[in-house]
Amino acid sequence: AGKVEFRDVHFAYDPARPILKGVSFDVPAGKTVAIVGPSGAGKSTISRLLFRFYDIQQGAILIDGQDIRDVTQESLRAAIGMVPQDTVLFNDTIAYNIRYGRTDASDEEVFKAAELAQIGPFIEHLPDGYKAMVGERGLKLSGGEKQRVAIARTILKAPPILMLDEATSALDTHTEQEIQAALDLVSRGRTTIVIAHRLSTVITADEIIVLKGGQIAERGTHLSLLRKD
Ligand code: ADP
Ligand code: ADP
């Protein structure tokens, strides 16, 4: 389960300025599609539309053949996991932040997810580093660490569909590689849409879609797109 289809999707925030002008692509269940393109091309808009933060003006978005307009906001959120570029955390423990959305999860499950995302040692800390239980002051979580919290939350949620907004932000190479490895782990076996900023990070995607001027300018595997250059 988890097939995603965009069928001739047209969308504009402002009617005078169309952002997507007939975008169609399929993400078969369990496969990964990467969306690349210049800044402002509408990549993040695609993720917002999948969550139905906005309604499209023409076309359809389907999950497992069902129009998302016929799906409740609740089941839509249960079906899709999001690892955003900039994770905003609640001012509560990292454990609380990981558990958010899955309050039924046991401490052990939360801890396991934290370990997999390599955020285990922070579990009792607050995002600003204050260790609530012990009352000792720690380090403020870095951008990369916050993103790991989002990854741990997604591991725990285990949604069939995953939406990744790849970081462009100031992560050092080492952190970026670690995060990439954690993301690879979460996306295994799930339908994944990656909003990518560089072609080099999506080598393993089953399909890469190049968005330009509101339309799909090119599509193919990493290798086939490189050959065209
Ligand atoms: P990308 O992710 O490819 O950089 P976005 O999807 O964020 O592009 O944005 C596409 C275009 O839509 C941009 O020109 C942006 O300024 C505009 N845009 C994004 N969000 C809004 C909004 N809430 N209202 C109006 N215009 C927006
Ligand atoms: P809440 O359930 O508390 O209202 P949010 O509305 O912040 O939470 O987010 C619900 C889900 O949608 C989260 O997985 C979040 O990462 C994702 N999300 C929030 N804002 C956006 C956005 N602008 N684009 C794509 N996904 C988003």
Side-chain angles (χ1 to χ4, degrees), residues 90 92-111 113-114 123-124 149 152-154 156-157:
F90 299 102
D92 202 320
T93 60
I94 298 309
Y96 174 90
N97 275 282
I98 293 172
R99 187 180 264 122
Y100 182 75
R102 267 233 35 217
T103 42
D104 63 302
S106 69
D107 288 349
E108 200 185 332
E109 285 178 289
V110 172
F111 186 70
I123 202 151
E124 293 302 337
V149 177
R153 184 187 286 164
T154 307
L156 193 63
K157 186 178 170 188

Side-chain angles (χ1 to χ4, degrees), residues 60-93:
I61 301 172
L62 303 109
I63 294 179
D64 289 328
Q66 193 178 22
D67 194 308
I68 61 167
R69 282 173 282 217
D70 302 327
V71 178
T72 64
Q73 197 58 245
E74 197 183 13
S75 32
L76 208 52
R77 288 197 180 185
I80 312 163
M82 167 90 185
V83 180
Q85 205 182 109
D86 293 302
T87 302
V88 179
L89 298 176
F90 299 102
N91 187 28
D92 202 320
T93 60

Side-chain angles (χ1 to χ4, degrees), residues 18-60:
I19 303 292
L20 301 181
K21 306 174 196 165
V23 169
S24 300
F25 63 89
D26 278 13
V27 194
K31 299 288 183 190
T32 297
V33 166
I35 300 170
V36 301
S39 173
K43 303 184 293 296
S44 302
T45 299
I46 285 180
S47 87
R48 287 176 210 137
L49 296 177
L50 184 60
F51 278 101
R52 240 194 115 200
F53 290 128
Y54 299 92
D55 278 321
I56 58 176
Q57 278 98 30
Q58 195 186 311

